[in-house]
Coordinates of all heavy atoms in Angstrom, one line a residue:
P4 N 8.1 9.6 7.0 CA 7.2 8.8 7.9 C 5.8 9.3 7.8 O 4.8 8.5 7.8 CB 7.8 9.1 9.3 CG 9.2 9.5 9.0 CD 9.2 10.2 7.7
A5 N 5.5 10.6 7.6 CA 4.1 11.0 7.5 C 3.5 10.5 6.2 O 2.3 10.1 6.2 CB 4.1 12.6 7.5
T6 N 4.3 10.5 5.1 CA 3.7 10.0 3.8 C 3.4 8.5 4.0 O 2.3 8.1 3.5 CB 4.8 10.2 2.7 OG1 5.1 11.6 2.6 CG2 4.2 9.7 1.4
L7 N 4.2 7.8 4.6 CA 3.9 6.4 4.8 C 2.7 6.1 5.7 O 1.9 5.3 5.4 CB 5.2 5.6 5.4 CG 6.3 5.4 4.4 CD1 7.5 4.8 5.2 CD2 5.9 4.5 3.3
T8 N 2.7 6.9 6.8 CA 1.6 6.8 7.7 C 0.2 7.1 7.0 O -0.8 6.5 7.4 CB 1.8 7.7 8.9 OG1 3.0 7.4 9.5 CG2 0.7 7.4 10.0
V9 N 0.2 8.0 6.1 CA -1.0 8.4 5.4 C -1.4 7.4 4.3 O -2.5 6.9 4.2 CB -0.9 9.8 4.8 CG1 -2.1 10.1 3.9 CG2 -0.9 10.9 5.9
F10 N -0.4 7.0 3.5 CA -0.7 6.2 2.3 C -0.7 4.7 2.5 O -1.4 4.1 1.7 CB 0.3 6.6 1.2 CG -0.1 7.9 0.5 CD1 0.5 9.1 0.8 CD2 -1.1 7.9 -0.4 CE1 0.2 10.3 0.2 CE2 -1.5 9.1 -1.1 CZ -0.8 10.2 -0.7
L11 N 0.0 4.2 3.4 CA 0.0 2.7 3.6 C -1.4 2.2 3.9 O -1.8 1.2 3.3 CB 1.1 2.2 4.6 CG 2.5 2.3 4.1 CD1 3.5 1.7 5.1 CD2 2.7 1.8 2.7
P12 N -2.1 2.8 4.8 CA -3.5 2.3 5.0 C -4.4 2.5 3.8 O -5.2 1.6 3.5 CB -4.0 3.1 6.2 CG -2.8 3.6 6.9 CD -1.8 3.8 5.8
I13 N -4.2 3.6 3.0 CA -4.9 3.8 1.8 C -4.6 2.7 0.8 O -5.5 2.1 0.2 CB -4.6 5.2 1.2 CG1 -5.2 6.3 2.1 CG2 -5.2 5.3 -0.2 CD1 -4.8 7.6 1.7
L14 N -3.3 2.4 0.6 CA -2.9 1.4 -0.4 C -3.3 0.0 0.1 O -3.6 -0.8 -0.8 CB -1.4 1.5 -0.6 CG -1.0 2.8 -1.3 CD1 0.5 2.9 -1.4 CD2 -1.6 3.0 -2.7
S15 N -3.3 -0.2 1.3 CA -3.7 -1.5 1.8 C -5.2 -1.8 1.6 O -5.6 -2.8 1.1 CB -3.4 -1.6 3.3 OG -3.8 -2.9 3.8
A16 N -6.0 -0.8 1.9 CA -7.4 -0.9 1.6 C -7.7 -1.0 0.1 O -8.6 -1.8 -0.3 CB -8.2 0.3 2.2
L17 N -6.9 -0.3 -0.7 CA -7.1 -0.3 -2.1 C -6.8 -1.7 -2.6 O -7.5 -2.3 -3.5 CB -6.2 0.7 -2.8 CG -6.1 0.7 -4.3 CD1 -7.5 1.0 -4.9 CD2 -5.1 1.6 -4.9
S18 N -5.7 -2.3 -2.1 CA -5.3 -3.6 -2.6 C -6.3 -4.7 -2.2 O -6.6 -5.6 -3.0 CB -3.9 -4.0 -1.9 OG -2.9 -3.1 -2.4
E19 N -6.9 -4.5 -1.0 CA -7.9 -5.5 -0.6 C -9.2 -5.3 -1.5 O -9.8 -6.3 -1.9 CB -8.3 -5.3 0.9 CG -7.2 -5.7 1.8 CD -7.5 -5.3 3.2 OE1 -8.6 -4.9 3.5 OE2 -6.6 -5.4 4.1
T20 N -9.5 -4.1 -1.8 CA -10.7 -3.8 -2.6 C -10.5 -4.4 -4.0 O -11.4 -5.0 -4.6 CB -10.9 -2.3 -2.7 OG1 -11.1 -1.8 -1.4 CG2 -12.2 -2.0 -3.6
L21 N -9.3 -4.3 -4.6 CA -9.0 -4.8 -5.9 C -8.5 -6.2 -6.0 O -8.2 -6.7 -7.1 CB -7.9 -3.9 -6.6 CG -8.2 -2.4 -6.7 CD1 -7.1 -1.6 -7.3 CD2 -9.5 -2.2 -7.4
L22 N -8.5 -6.9 -4.8 CA -8.1 -8.3 -4.7 C -6.7 -8.5 -5.2 O -6.4 -9.4 -6.0 CB -9.1 -9.2 -5.5 CG -10.5 -9.1 -5.0 CD1 -11.4 -10.0 -5.9 CD2 -10.7 -9.5 -3.5
I23 N -5.8 -7.6 -4.8 CA -4.3 -7.7 -5.1 C -3.6 -8.0 -3.8 O -4.0 -7.5 -2.8 CB -3.8 -6.3 -5.7 CG1 -4.5 -6.0 -7.0 CG2 -2.3 -6.4 -5.9 CD1 -4.2 -4.6 -7.5
N24 N -2.6 -8.8 -3.9 CA -1.8 -9.0 -2.7 C -1.2 -7.6 -2.2 O -0.5 -7.0 -3.0 CB -0.6 -9.9 -3.0 CG 0.2 -10.3 -1.8 OD1 0.1 -9.7 -0.7 ND2 1.1 -11.2 -2.0
P25 N -1.5 -7.2 -1.0 CA -1.1 -5.9 -0.5 C 0.4 -5.7 -0.5 O 0.9 -4.6 -0.7 CB -1.6 -5.8 0.9 CG -2.8 -6.8 1.0 CD -2.4 -7.8 0.0
L26 N 1.2 -6.7 -0.4 CA 2.6 -6.6 -0.4 C 3.2 -6.2 -1.8 O 4.2 -5.5 -1.8 CB 3.3 -7.9 0.0 CG 3.0 -8.4 1.4 CD1 3.7 -9.7 1.7 CD2 3.5 -7.3 2.4
H27 N 2.4 -6.5 -2.8 CA 2.9 -6.1 -4.2 C 2.7 -4.6 -4.4 O 3.3 -4.0 -5.3 CB 2.1 -6.8 -5.2 CG 2.4 -8.3 -5.3 ND1 1.6 -9.2 -5.9 CD2 3.4 -9.0 -4.7 CE1 2.1 -10.4 -5.7 NE2 3.2 -10.3 -5.0
T28 N 1.9 -3.9 -3.6 CA 1.7 -2.5 -3.6 C 2.5 -1.8 -2.5 O 3.1 -0.7 -2.8 CB 0.2 -2.1 -3.5 OG1 -0.5 -2.9 -4.5 CG2 0.0 -0.7 -3.7
L29 N 2.5 -2.3 -1.3 CA 3.0 -1.6 -0.2 C 4.6 -1.6 -0.2 O 5.2 -0.6 0.1 CB 2.6 -2.3 1.1 CG 1.1 -2.3 1.4 CD1 0.7 -2.9 2.7 CD2 0.5 -0.8 1.3
I30 N 5.2 -2.7 -0.6 CA 6.7 -2.7 -0.5 C 7.3 -1.8 -1.6 O 8.2 -1.0 -1.2 CB 7.2 -4.2 -0.7 CG1 6.9 -5.0 0.6 CG2 8.7 -4.2 -0.9 CD1 7.2 -6.4 0.5
P31 N 6.9 -1.8 -2.8 CA 7.4 -0.8 -3.8 C 7.1 0.6 -3.4 O 8.0 1.5 -3.5 CB 6.8 -1.1 -5.1 CG 6.3 -2.5 -5.0 CD 6.0 -2.7 -3.5
S32 N 5.9 0.9 -2.8 CA 5.6 2.2 -2.4 C 6.5 2.7 -1.3 O 6.9 3.9 -1.2 CB 4.1 2.3 -2.0 OG 3.3 2.0 -3.1
T33 N 6.7 1.8 -0.3 CA 7.6 2.1 0.8 C 9.0 2.5 0.3 O 9.6 3.4 0.8 CB 7.6 1.0 1.8 OG1 6.3 0.7 2.2 CG2 8.5 1.3 3.0
M34 N 9.5 1.7 -0.6 CA 10.8 2.0 -1.2 C 10.8 3.3 -1.9 O 11.8 4.1 -1.8 CB 11.3 0.9 -2.1 CG 11.5 -0.4 -1.3 SD 11.9 -1.8 -2.4 CE 13.4 -1.3 -3.2
C35 N 9.8 3.7 -2.6 CA 9.7 4.9 -3.4 C 9.7 6.1 -2.4 O 10.1 7.2 -2.8 CB 8.5 4.9 -4.3 SG 8.8 3.9 -5.7

């Protein structure tokens, strides 16, 4: 849970910055 709490906002901001659908990054990362 700590890893998710730290990295999901980072990956969400990264996805928005790179104009990628955030779900394409967040869902696989959550599973990993």
Side-chain angles (χ1 to χ4, degrees):
T6 303
L7 285 176
T8 305
V9 169
F10 279 99
L11 288 186
I13 292 172
L14 295 175
S15 179
L17 174 65
S18 296
E19 290 174 11
T20 302
L21 301 180
L22 301 175
I23 299 172
N24 184 351
L26 295 178
H27 293 162
T28 307
L29 299 180
I30 291 174
S32 298
T33 301
M34 292 175 60
C35 286

